[in-house]
């Protein structure tokens, strides 16, 4: 099969012919119909993720059809239209037994712990626990855009942030994660403030439902601007970018007893960011991480998509070919373009 492969961290990946995958006994092989490009792929390519072993095929936001199923798989068969969350739980560790597959102790992540979906086919383990059937109404490109940023934002806003109607939600960073969070929080009835450095992204954020915006390039004081708009601070705030500045601002712009959710990755030099801990104590702030979403939680999200309350198709940006994927992957740290770019021809 054709796959995007890199043999050294930071060296240009190339489209190459590699052996076709075979399913594990509890896994499937999926014919990839669409796969999203994400900054996590860029981190993996740069060597920031200890799970990645060379040579490697990236890609973790995928949708497609089951091509073959392992001997122990009972729920899936050839031809089924499916997607997966980017973290697949093993289904039998303590965390999976408690319903928290997103932090499984033996998690399977295509494109990180195994070869991923920048390829014609991808093998996915723990299939019975993690595959999600795609409704006919949902096209493959939109389905692929859900697997990482959209589901992580859904969990961050709904399950971790516990956003309620009428609350103020600040979203720092308007890439794929941030725009997803803005759409989801707005659908939940919250008032969303979008924060970014470019007017183009802030204008798109307003289209996704933001009722106020702060341009962090113009505003000398982002924290003060959010507190002024919200008359005292956001109830819930998310760092959707992942940087020491946005992380700090997202915590510091909360009102008393507010909830911060960290979704943007903090790796390398950023792994130990400064937290205003005195404010966390004095104001009883809550700080959460959000890391993917369990396959069984897709049901509520799919219902909101099928009824039109959520429209993830609006976040799909450019359609690319597999041959265009290496250059697009290497450019992921430049934050260019709007929404989520998806490879749809292989
Ligand atoms: Zn991703
Ligand atoms: Zn597990």
């Amino acid at each position: 099969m054709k796959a995007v492969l890199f043999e050294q961290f930071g060296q240009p990946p190339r489209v190459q012919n590699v052996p076709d995958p075979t399913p594990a006994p509890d896994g499937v092989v999926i014919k990839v119909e669409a796969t999203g490009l994400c900054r996590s792929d860029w981190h993996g390519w740069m060597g920031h993720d200890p799970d990645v072993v060379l040579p490697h095929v990236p890609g973790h936001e995928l949708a497609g059809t089951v091509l073959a199923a392992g001997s122990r798989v009972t729920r899936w068969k050839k031809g089924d239209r499916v997607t997966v969350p980017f973290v697949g739980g093993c289904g039998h560790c303590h965390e999976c037994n408690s319903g928290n597959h997103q932090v499984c102790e033996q998690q399977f992540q295509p494109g990180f712990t195994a070869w991923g979906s920048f390829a014609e086919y991808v093998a996915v383990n723990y299939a019975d626990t993690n595959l999600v059937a795609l409704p006919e109404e949902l096209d493959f490109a939109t389905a692929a855009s859900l697997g990482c940023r959209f589901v992580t934002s859904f969990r961050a806003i709904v399950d971790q942030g516990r956003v309620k109607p009428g609350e103020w939600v600040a979203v720092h960073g308007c890439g794929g994660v941030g725009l997803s969070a803005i759409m989801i929080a707005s659908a939940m009835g919250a008032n969303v403030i979008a924060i970014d450095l470019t007017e183009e992204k802030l204008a798109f954020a307003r289209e996704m439902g933001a009722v106020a915006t702060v341009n962090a390039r113009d505003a000398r004081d982002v924290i003060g601007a959010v507190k002024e708009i919200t008359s005292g601070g956001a109830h819930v705030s998310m760092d959707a970018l992942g940087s020491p500045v946005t992380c700090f601002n997202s915590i510091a712009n909360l009102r008393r007893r507010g909830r911060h959710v960290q979704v943007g990755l903090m790796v390398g030099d950023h792994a130990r960011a400064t937290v205003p801990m005195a404010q966390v104590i004095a104001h009883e702030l809550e700080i959460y991480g959000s890391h993917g979403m369990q396959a069984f939680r897709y049901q509520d999200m799919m219902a909101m998509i099928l009824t039109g309350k959520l429209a993830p198709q609006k976040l799909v940006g450019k359609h690319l070919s597999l041959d265009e994927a290496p250059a697009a992957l290497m450019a992921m740290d430049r934050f260019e373009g709007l929404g989520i770019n998806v490879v749809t021809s292989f």
Side-chain angles (χ1 to χ4, degrees):
M1 67 168 180
K2 275 167 69 182
V4 172
L5 188 108
F6 58 85
E7 286 162 2
Q8 296 296 329
F9 294 120
Q11 296 299 310
R14 285 189 300 128
V15 177
Q16 298 187 32
N17 274 310
V18 300
D20 290 354
T22 51
D26 65 355
V28 293
V29 168
I30 296 170
K31 180 179 188 297
V32 182
E33 303 285 358
T35 184
L37 276 138
C38 176
R39 190 157 161 251
S40 304
D41 296 313
W42 182 86
H43 282 303
W45 170 63
M46 287 297 287
H48 296 161
D49 191 319
D51 288 333
V52 174
V53 176
L54 298 170
H56 186 67
V57 175
H60 58 279
E61 306 184 352
L62 66 113
T65 50
V66 173
L67 186 75
S71 57
R72 297 213 306 269
V73 174
T74 60
R75 295 181 54 214
W76 307 100
K77 61 180 190 315
K78 185 176 179 182
D80 288 342
R81 298 171 82 250
V82 293
T83 188
V84 283
F86 83 92
V87 180
C90 70
H92 47 70
C93 73
H94 177 75
E95 299 303 336
C96 287
N97 285 337
S98 72
N100 289 294
H101 305 81
Q102 77 284 355
V103 289
C104 169
E105 292 160 19
Q106 290 124 16
Q107 53 192 258
F108 177 87
Q109 296 186 17
F112 300 102
T113 66
W115 280 16
S117 52
F118 286 3
E120 290 177 276
Y121 309 109
V122 62
V124 173
N125 296 352
Y126 312 144
D128 279 343
T129 305
N130 298 295
L131 262 55
V132 175
L134 288 183
E136 280 305 320
E137 299 92 317
L138 206 59
D139 64 273
F140 284 118
T142 304
S145 78
L146 302 177
C148 166
R149 289 161 279 188
F150 203 85
V151 299
T152 301
S153 290
F154 192 87
R155 177 167 168 74
I157 292 293
V158 178
D159 291 346
Q160 299 291 76
R162 309 186 310 279
V163 168
K164 292 192 268 299
E167 287 191 324
W168 283 102
V169 176
V171 176
H172 296 258
C174 296
V177 167
L179 293 166
S180 303
I182 290 163
M183 181 189 290
I184 295 159
S186 300
M188 301 281 293
N191 304 309
V192 181
I193 305 174
I195 301 114
D196 202 282
L197 295 168
T198 73
E199 280 304 319
E200 186 191 26
K201 290 193 172 165
L202 292 173
F204 197 41
R206 277 189 288 271
E207 282 177 41
M208 295 304 117
V211 296
T213 55
V214 174
N215 188 322
R217 184 156 281 151
D218 302 339
R220 281 195 307 263
D221 177 11
V222 170
I223 299 163
V226 171
K227 286 192 166 178
E228 190 180 328
I229 293 166
T230 57
S231 304
H235 298 85
V236 176
S237 187
M238 177 196 284
D239 175 12
L241 175 69
S243 81
V245 171
T246 47
C247 173
F248 187 93
N249 287 350
S250 177
I251 299 168
N253 72 192
L254 288 170
R255 69 177 57 208
R256 289 163 193 253
R257 293 186 52 80
R259 289 96 75 193
H260 162 78
V261 189
Q262 184 68 38
V263 177
L265 295 181
M266 302 290 269
V267 296
D269 297 343
H270 295 171
R272 292 161 182 250
T274 303
V275 170
M277 199 53 85
Q279 189 182 346
V280 171
I281 297 165
H283 293 176
E284 290 197 347
L285 306 181
E286 298 175 45
I287 297 183
Y288 294 91
S290 190
H291 187 244
M293 186 172 80
Q294 313 92 315
F296 70 81
R297 286 290 287 134
Y298 271 61
Q299 197 175 354
D300 291 1
M301 184 182 75
M302 285 292 190
M304 292 181 79
I305 292 170
L306 293 178
T307 54
K309 289 192 161 51
L310 296 176
Q313 68 276 8
K314 289 183 182 170
L315 301 178
V316 175
K318 277 190 284 203
H319 286 239
L320 305 172
S321 69
L322 195 66
D323 290 330
E324 293 172 301
L329 186 153
M330 289 187 283
M332 276 310 289
D333 67 324
R334 297 208 296 268
F335 304 105
E336 288 166 347
L338 293 171
I340 297 173
N341 293 336
V342 183
V343 175
T344 50
S345 61
F346 292 84

